[in-house]
Amino acid sequence: MKKLFIPGMLIAMLAFVSCSQRPTKELTSASEDGSSKKASVVYVTRQITPSSLVKIYEALGRKAKGRVAVKISTGESGNPNYLKPELIKDLVEKVNGTIVECNTAYGGKRNTFKEHWETIREHGFSPLFRVDLMDEEGEIKIPVKDTRHIKYDIVGSHIKNYDFMINLAHFKGHPMGGLGGVLKNASIGVASANGKANIHTAGYQEVVEGMWGHVENQDGFLESMAAAAQAVHDYFDNGKKILYIAVMNNMTVDCDCVASPEPVKMKDYGILASLDPVALDQACVDIVFNMQPSEGNDNRPLVERINRQHGTLTIDHAAAIGLGSKQYKLVSIDR
């Protein structure tokens, strides 16, 4: 696995963007070999409020039009860390959006439609929002460009009902993927239950039944997530009708899919957004890796989880197949 490049001080104009402190406006990054390369813009606010979520969406300059899907994780029953309805309400209402999800591929309270709907109500999303379980009436296959593992992406059939997607992710760790950001939210999150099996097994198995006996190709799984994320990105008019937002709060080593996650050991950081999902996930990772551990703000467990699971490979591979760029510039909207 390629080691994560951790940026340090900005020396001349040839350094990766460092995000450990309040970001400097319009920092330009460069590629790891020192060659000049255009950086994607990642907006950031240190405020995590309903109004700042709307503000960072507006900063992207891409208006969500038509039938708008807002892809979030509704959170496993018992998990307290998912994005709360009161935080996202203003944004969802502004774009007249529908919360979209798909069933899970593991045992819990979201692997059947009946229990998933119960969890959605338990967590306060319904009746506050329109909610759509996109695989409730079946699934479809959409093309992938990178076919080394999966030959197509299997997603909820209701994806056809939407003109635009807001990928609204909660950035945190993940037991298998190492990290969960917008790339995971686009890939595993939009996939039907069978689609999740296809990704988790790196194309070995396309149905949920018995899939966990074949989850052995860790790097193939991570690369398959990148391929599936690219498929969803391309589905929305080659990326012109999708945008990406990541909320860095309640960051544990575990995903919102874990009913009893490990305790939160890091302080909330803020909200980041970009039209480039690779740049956005890379910026979030850099923020975590560049934190200096202190009382009440210990990034070491999450860093260890990401490294142990090769989590950054998903970002590396997404960049390699052309989904986006790992080079970025942070632009603060807190002015």
Side-chain angles (χ1 to χ4, degrees), residues 43-308:
Y43 293 97
V44 61
T45 174
R46 298 302 300 273
Q47 302 173 30
I48 304 178
T49 65
S51 61
S52 64
L53 189 56
V54 171
K55 185 178 177 183
I56 205 164
Y57 154 71
E58 292 174 336
L60 290 171
R62 177 174 288 175
K63 187 175 181 180
K65 297 179 181 180
R67 300 165 297 178
V68 179
V70 181
K71 175 62 190 76
I72 65 166
S73 169
T74 49
E76 189 61 37
S77 180
N79 187 299
N81 298 324
Y82 59 93
L83 298 181
K84 301 300 188 293
E86 54 268 26
L87 174 63
I88 70 172
K89 181 174 181 292
D90 289 359
L91 175 59
V92 177
E93 289 182 347
K94 181 175 181 63
V95 301
N96 192 28
T98 299
I99 301 296
V100 299
E101 261 277 46
C102 285
N103 273 2
T104 61
Y106 57 86
K109 284 204 65 178
R110 293 189 299 152
N111 67 336
T112 68
F113 296 113
K114 178 179 181 295
E115 290 191 310
H116 202 157
W117 280 115
E118 290 174 357
T119 303
I120 287 167
R121 287 189 287 271
E122 173 190 324
H123 286 175
F125 294 104
S126 176
L128 189 62
F129 306 112
R130 290 191 305 272
V131 182
D132 180 11
L133 296 181
M134 292 194 295
D135 55 342
E136 196 163 18
E137 294 181 307
E139 57 196 21
I140 62 172
K141 296 174 181 177
I142 62 175
V144 297
K145 289 178 179 174
D146 173 36
T147 58
R148 74 190 67 191
H149 299 297
I150 59 174
K151 307 309 177 188
Y152 36 73
D153 190 21
I154 310 171
V155 301
S157 65
H158 288 183
I159 196 173
K160 297 184 293 185
N161 298 337
Y162 299 99
D163 307 303
F164 194 102
M165 177 172 281
I166 295 178
N167 181 327
L168 180 55
H170 172 213
F171 186 87
K172 68 286 177 189
H174 190 272
M176 291 186 64
L179 64 96
V182 294
L183 292 174
K184 178 181 176 293
N185 198 35
S187 55
I188 295 295
V190 177
S192 66
N194 289 331
K196 290 174 172 65
N198 188 41
I199 296 168
H200 272 286
T201 62
Y204 182 89
Q205 185 168 328
E206 297 175 13
V207 293
V208 172
E209 290 78 9
M211 63 162 283
W212 295 110
H214 299 291
V215 182
E216 300 173 355
N217 185 354
Q218 175 67 9
D219 287 356
F221 157 53
L222 299 172
E223 292 175 348
S224 296
M225 280 204 289
Q230 186 178 44
V232 172
H233 183 87
D234 290 347
Y235 183 86
F236 286 97
D237 196 11
N238 292 314
K240 296 175 184 176
K241 293 182 179 178
I242 189 170
L243 57 84
Y244 301 88
I245 303 173
V247 181
M248 299 185 73
N249 70 344
N250 299 320
M251 292 178 283
T252 76
V253 299
D254 289 322
C255 180
D256 297 345
C257 60
V258 177
S260 299
E262 290 294 316
V264 174
K265 295 185 178 181
M266 295 174 60
K267 292 180 180 179
D268 294 349
Y269 185 86
I271 305 174
L272 283 74
S274 183
L275 302 179
D276 182 339
V278 177
L280 180 51
D281 270 2
Q282 184 66 57
C284 291
V285 167
D286 287 345
I287 286 169
V288 170
F289 273 73
N290 284 313
M291 286 181 179
Q292 295 300 316
S294 60
E295 185 176 356
N297 192 34
D298 188 358
N299 63 332
R300 290 170 294 187
L302 182 50
V303 169
E304 190 278 333
R305 173 64 60 85
I306 293 171
N307 284 337
R308 188 181 73 202

